[in-house]
Amino acid sequence: MELIIKPTGRCNFDCTFCSANGLDIAHPENGVPQPIKELIKKLQPTGIIVTGGEPLTVDPGYYLELFELANCHISFTSNMKDFYLHPNKWKDIVTNPNFGFITSFNYGNTRRWDPHTPYTEEKFIEVHELFKEVSGRDYLPFIAVIDESNEGRIMDHIYLAK
């Protein structure tokens, strides 16, 4: 059984389509909360998926503790901004094969690095290249988000994945 955990509603992006920042999820300040510890002990998951908000707004120590408790693969769905800004902070996590990562990208102006800066293909490639360099992995998997605003760029998403 896999367990999905949303440890925070915080997000460091400013996407126009997302309501994650509006989620009323307490941000953990003192490690893994006791109810989650008890749930992990009871369920003994074979994997944990961490999402949010943005999971990398939570301290890496939280995830190291989570791994120690669950002793299973932990996968992050992340925009990777905090990793990009502070790669040394995340090095122990991204180099550990027990932790997996997936990100997402879409062309257009709806996914934003900050309120005034769209998350461009160029920035996405910078994040991807830094991840490869620091983690030693071959690539950072991503989900292509295609909607009415960028459906004319479907092939661009495919070429980017290639």
Side-chain angles (χ1 to χ4, degrees), residues 67-139:
F67 177 73
E68 188 176 304
L69 290 164
N71 194 29
C72 65
H73 193 284
I74 298 175
S75 299
F76 294 85
T77 302
S78 171
N79 65 34
M80 303 302 288
K81 182 176 180 178
D82 197 67
F83 163 77
Y84 178 80
L85 296 174
H86 311 282
N88 289 333
K89 173 181 169 183
W90 292 101
K91 188 169 184 171
D92 289 344
I93 302 283
V94 300
T95 57
N96 186 326
N98 294 301
F99 293 96
F101 293 86
I102 191 165
T103 192
S104 59
F105 178 77
N106 60 284
Y107 287 97
N109 295 319
T110 60
R111 186 176 307 268
R112 297 190 309 215
W113 188 260
D114 62 44
H116 308 290
T117 311
Y119 188 43
T120 63
E121 176 183 348
E122 293 76 22
K123 180 60 84 176
F124 174 79
I125 291 170
E126 284 179 33
V127 171
H128 184 268
E129 292 301 315
L130 182 61
F131 179 81
K132 287 176 18 179
E133 177 186 322
V134 173
S135 70
R137 300 180 195 209
D138 294 333
Y139 61 93

Side-chain angles (χ1 to χ4, degrees), residues 10-26:
R10 285 186 190 168
C11 187
N12 50 13
F13 264 32
D14 191 47
C15 303
T16 61
F17 58 84
C18 187
S19 61
N21 258 339
L23 297 174
D24 187 20
I25 299 172

